[in-house]
Amino acid sequence: MQDAANTFDMPLSGLKDRDAWLDKVAELTEEDGYTARLGDRHAAIFVEEKPILLVTFETHQRIAEISEDCQPMGWDLVKALGWSHLCLVSDGDTWFRDRSVYGYFDRLVDDGFFEDFDQVIFYGAGPCGYAAAAFSVAAPGAQVVAIQPQATLDPRVAEWDDRYLRMRRTAFDDRYGYAPDMLDAASHAYILYDPEIELDAMHAALFTRPNVTKFRMRFMAEDLDKSLIRMQILYRILAQASAGKLNRTALARLFRARRTDPGYQFNLLRRVTADSRHYLTILLAGKVLKQRRAPRFRKMKQAAINTLKAEGAALPPGIEDGNDAETAAGN
């Protein structure tokens, strides 16, 4: 078996189109795996290493957006941990509702493909999170990590979700259809979502099952998967799932990384200022200003101080006209 680093260190950026990208991937995987096109909009990319299999669902566009080298996200874990990896990649958001994809998973089941691995973990985010949950039924006993997944887009169930109207005529009631039901065979599933996004929270509620842990990640906004990668905790979540250590407490500990994450801090600032929580604005901005230079936080902090003083309200301890220790230090 060739050195995985030789394969997975090869950049895939700068190729002219999706076909060229798939052709290059096929070259890189021909010795230790394969690349198979599944109809016009889907493909499967498999690399065999250790008997732990990560199955990811990704879009070509998201790969190009997240990865500097335009590589599937699972390749980082192949390099770091030596896992085997099966990537289902789509051209755009399709929710993988395609007979060619159903047929591919049927063949994997018939061939006993998943039985060759000691562990199987399915992962995806958004529409790909839906697919990770839905197709996990093909590997009973697998674990699932799904970020902001939809349960279904069948209008008879989720007519309240008006974000994806173009998908309303797509069948979500046939094979591999209703994602929460497809989790019944999983050993455990983890649904990560931001409850401030109401429609995501409504979908998450549909995943309520005895073998499902739903974990709220407030004020992370729409691109939760990108935020978890930026905070360097997504791969740790998957690794802890593999080690049997992932639970609500472990997720809470990992999520502490948000405290120094600029994206989270800005989302929280927008919320407390929108709610006119002036006292909290001062405390939040003070905390951030101790970590780094942040002109917007400084501006909002002084505005909150001025408002509280005008109202005759008490300021946080140590704050006088904005001349607290961190302000005086010029941070």
Side-chain angles (χ1 to χ4, degrees), residues 17-290:
D17 55 24
R18 178 173 174 269
D19 286 335
W21 185 86
L22 285 171
D23 288 342
K24 186 63 176 178
V25 170
E27 289 180 24
L28 296 176
T29 58
E30 64 181 349
E31 183 171 338
D32 298 326
Y34 61 80
T35 298
R37 298 186 186 233
L38 309 175
D40 295 332
R41 299 188 64 183
H42 301 91
I45 304 164
F46 174 60
V47 177
E48 185 173 10
E49 292 284 343
K50 288 182 180 178
I52 298 176
L53 175 66
L54 175 66
V55 184
T56 65
F57 292 80
E58 309 179 49
T59 70
H60 184 74
Q61 292 77 9
R62 195 67 163 176
I63 289 172
E65 182 181 345
I66 291 179
S67 171
E68 207 173 285
D69 293 329
C70 204
Q71 295 179 344
M73 63 148 287
W75 284 18
D76 282 337
L77 285 170
V78 173
K79 287 187 287 186
L81 302 176
W83 290 1
S84 296
H85 180 224
L86 174 61
C87 176
L88 279 295
V89 59
S90 65
D91 181 13
D93 287 330
T94 66
W95 283 259
F96 294 83
R97 306 302 300 158
D98 189 296
R99 292 186 183 278
S100 62
V101 180
Y102 308 164
Y104 175 72
F105 274 92
D106 288 345
R107 292 191 295 275
L108 294 182
V109 172
D110 291 343
D111 293 343
F113 171 79
F114 295 109
E115 298 171 10
D116 292 336
F117 298 93
D118 296 340
Q119 292 183 39
V120 182
I121 302 172
F122 282 72
Y123 166 81
C128 296
Y130 159 83
F135 288 100
S136 69
V137 70
Q143 296 187 76
V144 179
V145 177
I147 298 175
Q148 296 172 297
Q150 293 80 47
T152 179
L153 293 183
D154 186 337
R156 293 171 298 179
V157 179
E159 63 180 351
W160 33 264
D161 192 341
D162 57 1
R163 296 174 294 183
Y164 315 109
L165 296 179
R166 64 179 178 82
M167 295 295 295
R168 290 244 168 132
R169 293 188 178 182
T170 301
F172 280 81
D173 59 350
D174 55 357
R175 307 188 62 239
Y176 302 103
Y178 186 56
D181 284 351
M182 298 300 101
L183 290 176
D184 286 349
S187 64
H188 206 86
Y190 304 89
I191 306 298
L192 313 181
Y193 67 102
D194 184 344
E196 299 298 315
I197 303 174
E198 183 177 10
L199 295 178
D200 283 353
M202 293 168 73
H203 278 289
L206 297 176
F207 282 93
T208 302
R209 295 287 192 280
N211 63 336
V212 174
T213 295
K214 295 180 294 183
F215 190 78
R216 297 152 57 96
M217 294 184 160
R218 297 185 70 192
F219 306 120
M220 297 307 298
E222 286 80 6
D223 292 330
L224 179 53
D225 58 330
K226 290 178 65 176
S227 297
L228 297 182
I229 291 172
R230 183 179 65 242
M231 293 189 294
Q232 300 182 348
I233 64 174
L234 177 56
Y235 297 158
R236 294 171 66 188
I237 288 172
L238 295 171
Q240 289 201 15
S242 171
K245 297 179 179 179
L246 191 63
N247 53 34
R248 192 175 300 279
T249 300
L251 286 166
R253 287 177 179 148
L254 290 171
F255 193 42
R256 289 174 185 169
R258 72 192 185 282
R259 296 173 181 175
T260 56
D261 179 63
Y264 169 80
Q265 291 170 344
F266 274 111
N267 291 336
L268 189 54
L269 178 67
R270 282 195 292 265
R271 178 58 179 269
V272 296
T273 54
D275 291 346
S276 298
R277 304 290 296 276
H278 306 302
Y279 197 98
L280 286 179
T281 298
I282 296 170
L283 294 177
L284 171 63
K287 183 71 172 178
V288 172
L289 288 166
K290 289 178 181 178

